[in-house]
């Protein structure tokens, strides 16, 4: 769920989100608040997401009054609500011992012609460059409802900052088979790429379903 936060309310929306984190007890899954610092559509400034394992109850306890207060505050602090979309994480690789070091993400949205080929190609790509991806998390998934700008899939990679990402891309593109393996994902159209910073993350286990 993307949003445009009113000027001067960045700290207030983070404070409200942290209050909701304390209000909910999770069995599994995660939810988070991110700052969209580059590539946003229509002036959106933040993104809030949820993730959980398919077919499970991921919330053990939730104070309804606390949740009602949270959404009341959100309405006060948000100037405009943006797109909301849902889907599944289809591949996930954690090549880091400390995810807290990777607060920044670079996410690409694609229109994919052949989803099966795209997943096989992605998994082969990540496996081939396991050494280069050391210290990063990389994931791929589908947009099953309301993909932004008509996107069907996404790919995201984490890093310490933008320079960390640029150093990764530089190293990857020096490999002789980089572009060949990339092309083996099949025909794709890139519809946007955004850079995000995680402001607050509450998690239990890595999940297979997400909502943004």
């Amino acid at each position: 769920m993307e949003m445009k936060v009113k000027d001067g309310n960045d700290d207030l929306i983070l404070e409200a989100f942290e209050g909701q984190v304390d209000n909910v007890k999770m069995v599994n899954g995660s939810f988070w608040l991110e700052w969209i610092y580059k590539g946003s559509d229509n002036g959106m400034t933040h993104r809030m997401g949820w993730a959980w394992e398919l077919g499970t109850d991921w919330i053990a306890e939730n104070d309804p009054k606390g949740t009602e207060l949270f959404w009341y505050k959100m309405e006060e602090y948000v100037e405009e609500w943006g797109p909301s979309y849902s889907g599944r994480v289809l591949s996930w690789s954690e090549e880091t011992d400390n995810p807290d070091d990777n607060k920044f993400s670079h996410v690409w949205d694609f229109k994919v012609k052949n989803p099966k080929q795209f997943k096989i190609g992605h998994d082969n790509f990540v496996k081939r460059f396991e050494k280069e991806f050391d210290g990063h998390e990389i994931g791929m998934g589908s947009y099953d409802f309301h993909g932004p700008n008509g996107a069907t899939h996404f790919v995201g990679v984490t890093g310490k900052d933008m320079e960390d990402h640029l150093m990764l891309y530089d190293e990857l593109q020096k490999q002789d088979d980089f572009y060949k393996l990339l092309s083996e994902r099949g025909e794709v159209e890139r519809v946007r790429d955004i850079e995000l910073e995680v402001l607050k993350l509450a998690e239990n286990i890595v999940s297979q379903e997400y909502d943004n």
Side-chain angles (χ1 to χ4, degrees), residues 131-176:
K131 178 183 176 182
E132 286 74 18
F133 281 119
D134 183 49
H136 301 269
E137 296 171 297
I138 180 166
M140 183 275 288
S142 61
Y143 290 117
D144 298 306
F145 297 91
H146 316 299
N149 303 314
T152 62
H153 291 74
F154 68 88
V155 173
V157 62
T158 68
K160 296 178 176 63
D161 50 34
M162 186 175 66
E163 184 176 7
D164 188 33
H165 281 113
L166 290 172
M167 291 172 63
L168 169 64
Y169 306 154
D170 184 60
E171 185 62 29
L172 286 169
Q173 291 173 19
K174 288 177 180 177
Q175 310 307 310
D176 292 338

Side-chain angles (χ1 to χ4, degrees), residues 58-94:
W58 66 293
I59 296 179
E61 295 181 24
N62 177 30
D63 177 12
K65 291 184 178 180
T67 298
E68 183 179 351
L69 177 60
F70 166 70
W71 286 111
Y72 173 80
K73 290 180 178 179
M74 293 293 285
E75 290 292 342
E76 288 291 309
Y77 304 150
V78 171
E79 178 178 329
E80 179 184 351
W81 294 99
S84 179
Y85 33 88
S86 304
R88 291 163 293 148
V89 175
L90 303 176
S91 295
W92 189 265
S93 177
E94 294 188 44

Side-chain angles (χ1 to χ4, degrees), residues 29-80:
S30 56
F31 60 108
W32 59 88
L33 178 67
E34 297 167 308
W35 172 44
I36 307 173
Y37 71 96
K38 284 187 179 179
S40 67
D41 293 330
N42 302 319
M44 297 296 110
T45 61
H46 292 71
R47 186 171 80 162
M48 185 166 55
W50 300 261
W52 64 93
E53 186 176 357
L54 281 170
T56 67
D57 293 324
W58 66 293
I59 296 179
E61 295 181 24
N62 177 30
D63 177 12
K65 291 184 178 180
T67 298
E68 183 179 351
L69 177 60
F70 166 70
W71 286 111
Y72 173 80
K73 290 180 178 179
M74 293 293 285
E75 290 292 342
E76 288 291 309
Y77 304 150
V78 171
E79 178 178 329
E80 179 184 351

